[in-house]
């Protein structure tokens, strides 16, 4: 039996985001339907019954995972990845990002952003801070971004337009404001994507 495209897209999204809640899946894939929650439940049950995906049914709503899963279903990283998916959903409601990569890795740099995205033709590295870091640790993290900027290696990234090089803005989604001192690069701190969008639209 051939798989529906939407089912394939759900499996691919679970692989990308590591995990998604039922409500997130409903928002991403079924928001244009009359009963997004019910439609999501039907699709997810079918995919679970056929062994394509896994779920943590101890949580409400259920949280779904690719099979095999990349993270522990009851591990500390689950909420972090759900928050990353929330960022995607908030951006998508405004304008679909042209790129959205979860935990990109750069061989030539020590930076470890949670997200790289191109949103409204602008590149961003996004840090989603569920945990509270010390100001010293956050400063060290930002210093690594500045080191990457000074190295010039970012100019070789495959998304860069020919003949130009842009260093992404750094956006920290955080409930507290860190005391960051940095030159050469731009760092923004907001409680949510919605707050950030409102600030640039004002």
């Amino acid at each position: 039996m051939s798989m529906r495209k939407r089912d394939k897209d759900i499996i691919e999204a679970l692989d990308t985001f590591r995990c998604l809640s039922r409500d997130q899946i409903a928002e991403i894939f079924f928001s244009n339907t009359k009963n997004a929650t019910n439609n999501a439940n039907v699709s997810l049950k079918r995919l679970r019954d056929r062994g394509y995906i896994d779920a943590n049914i101890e949580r409400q709503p259920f949280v779904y995972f690719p099979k095999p899963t990349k993270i522990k279903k009851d591990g500390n990283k689950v909420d972090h990845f759900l928050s990353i998916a929330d960022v995607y959903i908030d951006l998508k409601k405004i304008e679909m990002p042209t790129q959205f990569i979860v935990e990109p890795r750069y061989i030539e740099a020590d930076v470890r952003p949670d997200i790289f995205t191109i949103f409204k033709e602008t590149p961003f590295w996004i840090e989603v801070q569920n945990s509270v870091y010390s100001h010293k640790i956050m400063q060290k993290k930002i210093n690594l971004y500045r080191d990457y900027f000074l190295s010039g290696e970012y100019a070789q990234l495959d998304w860069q337009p020919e003949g130009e090089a842009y260093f992404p803005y750094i956006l920290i989604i955080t409930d507290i404001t860190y005391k960051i001192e940095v030159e050469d690069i731009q760092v923004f701190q907001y409680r949510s994507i919605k707050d950030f969008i409102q600030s640039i639209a004002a």
Side-chain angles (χ1 to χ4, degrees):
M1 184 180 294
S2 61
M3 188 182 294
R4 304 175 188 183
K5 181 182 185 304
R6 183 175 282 162
D7 288 349
K8 292 179 180 178
D9 290 343
I10 290 171
I11 293 170
E12 183 178 344
L14 290 173
D15 193 58
T16 296
F17 290 104
R18 304 343 183 230
C19 61
L20 291 166
S21 72
R22 188 276 314 278
D23 290 351
Q24 289 176 327
I25 292 168
E27 176 63 38
I28 294 171
F29 294 103
F30 300 96
S31 60
N32 62 336
T33 66
K34 289 184 178 180
N35 194 331
T37 299
N38 184 63
N39 290 334
N41 283 336
V42 170
S43 292
L44 291 166
K45 184 178 187 306
R46 180 174 60 250
L47 290 172
R48 279 188 68 205
D49 288 347
R50 295 179 181 176
Y52 291 118
I53 65 175
D54 207 344
N56 181 348
I57 61 174
E58 301 298 320
R59 295 184 60 142
Q60 293 294 332
F62 293 178
V63 174
Y64 293 86
F65 302 81
K67 198 170 183 178
T69 179
K70 297 179 180 178
I71 60 175
K72 292 182 180 180
K73 292 190 293 182
D74 58 353
N76 295 331
K77 296 279 281 182
V78 170
D79 286 327
H80 180 64
F81 285 114
L82 294 178
S83 294
I84 288 174
D86 282 339
V87 169
Y88 173 78
I89 289 168
D90 286 343
L91 292 176
K92 179 176 174 288
K93 287 178 180 178
I94 300 161
E95 182 177 304
M96 179 66 78
T98 53
Q99 284 198 42
F100 193 96
I101 301 172
V102 177
E103 291 192 340
R105 292 293 177 258
Y106 305 104
I107 296 173
E108 71 281 3
D110 291 326
V111 296
R112 295 289 186 270
D114 294 316
I115 300 163
F116 169 73
T117 188
I118 298 179
F119 176 70
K120 288 186 174 292
E121 301 182 350
T122 304
F124 291 92
W125 280 313
I126 303 178
E127 299 276 354
V128 181
Q129 291 302 126
N130 286 359
S131 303
V132 177
Y133 284 3
S134 69
H135 295 287
K136 183 177 180 180
I137 290 175
M138 183 57 72
Q139 182 68 58
K140 184 177 180 181
K141 182 186 286 276
I142 297 302
N143 288 345
L144 291 174
Y145 282 102
R146 184 171 183 268
D147 291 344
Y148 192 26
F149 171 77
L150 294 176
S151 76
E153 293 290 337
Y154 67 93
Q156 307 304 317
L157 295 173
D158 58 10
W159 55 265
Q160 294 281 13
E162 187 173 352
E164 297 184 79
Y166 296 95
F167 194 80
Y169 295 110
I170 300 163
L171 174 58
I172 306 172
I173 303 300
T174 173
D175 286 335
I176 70 171
T177 301
Y178 292 97
K179 298 174 183 176
I180 296 172
E181 297 180 6
V182 67
E183 297 178 351
D184 304 316
I185 62 176
Q186 294 200 50
V187 180
F188 300 96
Q189 302 182 66
Y190 287 92
R191 293 177 66 89
S192 67
I193 288 294
K194 294 174 184 176
D195 287 350
F196 172 64
I197 296 300
Q198 288 175 357
S199 76
I200 62 177

